[in-house]
Amino acid sequence: MTLRLRFAPSPTGYLHVGGARTALFNWLLAKKERGVLVLRIEDTDRERSSEEHTQAILHGMEWLGVTWDEGPFFQSQGLERHKAAAISLLELGQAYRDFSTPEEAARDRKEEVETGRRTRRARERADAMSQEEVAARIDAGDTFAIRFRVPDGETAWKDSVHGESRFRNEEIDDLVILRSNGTPTYNLAVVSDDAEMGITLVLRGDDHISNTPKQILLHEALGNPVPSFAHVPLILGPDGKRLSKRHGATAVGDYEKEGILPEAMSNFLALLGWSPGDDREVFSREGLVEAFSLERVLKKSSVFDFKKLQGLNGQHLAQTPTEELLEPVKRRLSERGLLTGDPHQTAVSLPFLVDLLKVRARTVEDLLDQAEPYFRDELDYDPKAVKKQWSKDPEGTADRLERLQESLADVPWDQESLEEVSRGLAEEMEIGAGKLFQPLRLALTGSSASPGIFDVLVLLGRERSLERVERAVNILRSGTLPME
Ligand code: GLU
C-alpha cells in the first residue's frame, strides 16, 4: 500500500520552526518510502486565517525544498462533506443533539471540574428527550450542537514514535463535532479530510496527541480505515520551555532573511527530533532522505540551539558552489549600497572574493559583513586591532609599512611575487613576518581577521592596496589613532 502522508498547517500564522520540522519529516518520509505527500491548508478558522499567511507558508516550504505531490487543498472546501459526516454519525446513533442552554453548559463544566470526571450530562439530557420533543424544539427554532457519543472502553494505537499509547475513553469529552452555528469542529474536519484523502500515516507534533484518540474513535464510528499515527516531540527554547516568540525568531522566513541557507535549515530541523544514530551532523538534503527513518525519531524534546544552526550553516556555506552564491551576494551587496559602479570595484573579482569568504563566514550576512572592506574605501578600523597592532609602536610600524609600500610599488601583482617580496623584506628588517603582515592586514581591511594577506592584496589591486597603506602610515604618524 502506498504511504500517504499529509502536512496540514493552519494559516493563522507564518510557517514556524515546529511546523517546518513537521513538514520536513513528512517530506523526508514520503521521499524515502516513495510515498505521497498531500498539502492541506486548514483554513476553517475564518477569522484568524489569512491569505498572507497561506502564501508565507507556501513560500517557506518552497524555500526549504519541501515539495508536495497533491494539493494544496483547502479545508474550507470540504465543509459540506464535514457536515454530512456529522449528520451520518447522528443517524447512526453515534452522535446526539445537544440543546443545552449556556447556563446548563456552565453548570456541567463546573460539576466536571468539581468531581474531576466526565459526567456526560448533555448526553443524559439528550437521551432523555423523546423524538417528538426533539422535533418540537427544532420546529421552535432552538439551536443545537452535535456531539460525538464517546463509546465506553479505551482507545489504543501503536504510535510510530512513542510505541503503545492508550487513553481511557471515560476521560474523553463527548466532543462537539458540529457547532450550533453549523460549522464543523477541528477534529471532525481532520478526520473527514484524512479519510477523503486516503491518508495512511498522520505524522505531526506531540501537541496533537490528545486529539488522536478522538480522531481514531471518529474514524471507527464513520467506518473509515484508521490511519497510523506518529507524534514528533516538542521543540524547546534554550530555557527548557516550549519554543515561542519569546525566544526570538521562530518564523522560518526570518532565517531566510538572516542569510541562513535552506540546506542548512533543513539539516538543522532534521536534527531537532531525529538522530542518524551515529555522530554525523552535516547532511545534504539527499543525505537526509537516505538516512531518515521513523525509528530514529527521538521520543524526548530537543532544544533549539541557534549557535548550532549558524555552525551548520557555515559548513553548508563552505560547500555551496560559488556560482550559486554570486547572485544572492550581488543582490545583497546592492541592497547595502555597496555595488556602486565605482571603477575601483571592478578590480574586485567577486567569484574570488566569495571563494575566499564562504569558508570563513557562518551566514551570507556574515559573508557580506566581511566583504564590505573590499567595496568601501572608508574603513572602520577595529579599535581592538588598532590597539594591538598599531598603538605599541606607531612610528616603527609606520616605517615598516612605508618600506613595504616602496618594495611593493613595482612588484608584479600576484600572490607568489607579493609573498616573495614581503617575506624578503621582513627578513631584511629582521622581524617576524607577523610583525609586518598583521599591521598590514589592519591597514588593508580595518580588521585583524581576513583571508590570506596576499589574497587580500590581489583582491584590492595595486592602487587601492598602496593607497590604504599610505593612509595607515599617515594615521600612524598623525599621533591620533582611531582607538575609540
Ligand atoms: N492544522 C493543525 C495545526 O496546524 C494540524 C492538524 C493535524 O496535523 O492534524 O496545528
Side-chain angles (χ1 to χ4, degrees):
M1 191 172 59
T2 308
L3 177 69
R4 290 182 61 87
L5 297 144
R6 70 345 181 246
F7 175 51
S10 303
T12 51
Y14 297 100
L15 182 64
H16 56 89
V17 172
R21 187 197 49 174
T22 300
L24 179 71
F25 280 20
N26 274 290
W27 180 82
L28 286 171
L29 200 61
K31 289 285 159 235
K32 171 104 190 180
E33 305 291 335
R34 299 182 189 286
V36 171
L37 177 58
V38 181
L39 175 61
R40 180 170 79 224
I41 305 288
E42 302 206 320
D43 59 343
T44 43
D45 183 342
R46 302 310 295 172
E47 252 152 52
R48 291 173 55 226
S49 297
S50 77
E51 174 60 19
E52 185 196 343
H53 289 139
T54 301
Q55 289 311 323
I57 291 168
L58 297 181
H59 173 79
M61 290 177 68
E62 217 170 284
W63 177 72
L64 271 178
V66 171
T67 49
W68 52 92
D69 305 293
E70 294 177 14
F73 298 109
F74 289 83
Q75 188 158 59
S76 56
Q77 288 167 354
L79 195 69
E80 291 310 318
R81 177 168 34 78
H82 305 152
K83 280 190 199 166
I87 305 295
S88 81
L89 286 173
L90 194 60
E91 283 165 357
L92 288 164
Q94 311 253 29
Y96 56 88
R97 295 185 181 83
D98 176 7
F99 287 98
S100 305
T101 60
E103 294 71 31
E104 282 169 326
R107 206 164 50 230
D108 294 350
R109 248 194 320 276
K110 188 159 170 265
E111 188 187 356
E112 291 202 338
V113 172
E114 278 167 12
T115 60
R117 62 184 188 86
R118 300 268 168 221
T119 53
R120 309 215 192 275
R121 294 289 179 223
R123 188 198 291 195
E124 282 172 13
R125 284 192 295 273
D127 289 350
M129 280 167 84
S130 67
Q131 283 190 356
E132 293 71 35
E133 248 178 291
V134 170
R137 292 197 64 168
I138 295 175
D139 280 349
D142 286 358
T143 57
F144 58 88
I146 298 181
R147 280 186 188 270
F148 179 58
R149 186 185 293 274
V150 172
D152 294 340
E154 64 172 18
T155 305
W157 74 96
K158 195 170 172 322
D159 196 286
S160 312
V161 176
H162 298 280
E164 208 55 40
S165 307
R166 59 184 69 239
F167 276 76
R168 289 191 316 188
N169 293 0
E170 62 189 35
E171 288 167 8
I172 304 171
D173 188 20
D174 273 358
L175 55 140
V176 170
I177 51 178
L178 201 69
R179 298 186 189 88
S180 56
N181 65 7
T183 60
T185 57
Y186 158 75
N187 280 302
L188 179 72
V190 165
V191 164
S192 170
D193 287 357
D194 283 345
E196 174 77 9
M197 295 169 187
I199 300 304
T200 60
L201 172 62
V202 173
L203 169 57
R204 59 186 173 188
D206 259 4
D207 49 335
H208 283 290
I209 284 190
S210 63
N211 288 319
T212 300
K214 299 176 187 169
Q215 295 179 7
I216 290 175
L217 290 171
L218 283 171
H219 277 302
E220 286 173 349
L222 286 163
N224 299 332
V226 181
S228 304
F229 289 86
H231 292 94
V232 292
L234 285 186
I235 301 174
L236 306 177
D239 57 357
K241 304 239 169 73
R242 188 182 171 168
L243 188 71
S244 74
K245 291 219 176 77
R246 276 183 300 121
H247 296 106
T250 54
V252 167
D254 296 334
Y255 295 102
E256 180 187 2
K257 277 191 216 112
E258 277 177 34
I260 296 289
L261 298 167
E263 291 76 17
M265 193 76 199
S266 314
N267 190 165
F268 175 71
L269 289 172
L271 294 175
L272 273 177
W274 168 82
S275 140
D278 50 38
D279 53 10
R280 279 178 301 166
E281 280 230 311
V282 183
F283 286 90
S284 66
R285 239 195 293 266
E286 296 71 38
L288 282 176
V289 170
E290 202 163 299
F292 189 78
S293 78
L294 265 189
E295 288 73 42
R296 302 219 70 95
V297 171
L298 306 171
K299 287 191 179 56
K300 63 179 196 26
S301 317
S302 2
V303 174
F304 187 94
D305 177 354
F306 184 60
K307 285 232 165 62
K308 178 162 174 181
L309 171 57
Q310 283 187 319
L312 279 175
N313 200 63
Q315 302 197 50
H316 279 274
L317 191 60
Q319 287 172 13
T320 306
T322 295
E323 314 85 76
E324 283 177 30
L325 293 169
L326 289 178
E327 262 323 298
V329 166
K330 260 194 219 158
R331 178 167 43 79
R332 286 163 188 258
L333 281 172
S334 306
E335 279 164 16
R336 288 190 180 203
L338 291 171
L339 274 186
T340 56
D342 172 345
H344 263 147
Q345 294 187 336
T346 55
V348 176
S349 150
L350 199 57
F352 182 38
L353 180 64
V354 171
D355 260 347
L356 292 174
L357 294 185
K358 71 178 184 183
V359 295
R360 310 177 52 89
R362 289 183 307 178
T363 63
V364 175
E365 282 307 299
D366 187 15
L367 187 152
L368 292 171
D369 290 343
Q370 296 189 37
E372 285 221 3
Y374 305 93
F375 295 95
R376 215 157 53 94
D377 278 319
E378 326 75 80
L379 294 179
D380 302 321
Y381 298 98
D382 170 18
K384 270 210 211 99
V386 171
K387 188 150 184 252
K388 182 142 187 251
Q389 307 300 345
W390 286 359
S391 71
K392 295 205 182 88
D393 176 15
E395 279 302 326
T397 309
D399 290 344
R400 288 191 281 276
L401 285 179
E402 211 160 37
R403 280 189 66 186
L404 183 69
Q405 190 189 0
E406 282 157 17
S407 321
L408 294 186
D410 307 313
V411 176
W413 210 257
D414 58 65
Q415 281 91 338
E416 295 75 39
S417 318
L418 289 164
E419 176 159 9
E420 201 186 310
V421 171
S422 352
R423 288 199 190 278
L425 179 65
E427 256 171 53
E428 211 180 295
M429 297 193 291
E430 295 181 344
I431 55 168
K435 269 236 150 66
L436 189 56
F437 297 163
Q438 288 302 353
L440 173 64
R441 188 186 308 281
L442 177 56
L444 295 175
T445 66
S447 99
S448 55
S450 78
I453 195 73
F454 309 111
D455 288 333
V456 172
L457 285 164
V458 168
L459 268 174
L460 286 170
R462 184 195 308 270
E463 193 189 339
R464 290 170 90 198
S465 299
L466 295 181
E467 234 171 60
R468 290 183 186 195
V469 174
E470 189 172 322
R471 200 182 326 154
V473 169
N474 292 338
I475 293 173
L476 283 159
R477 295 221 195 282
S478 74
T480 43
L481 296 183
M483 291 216 285
E484 284 314 315

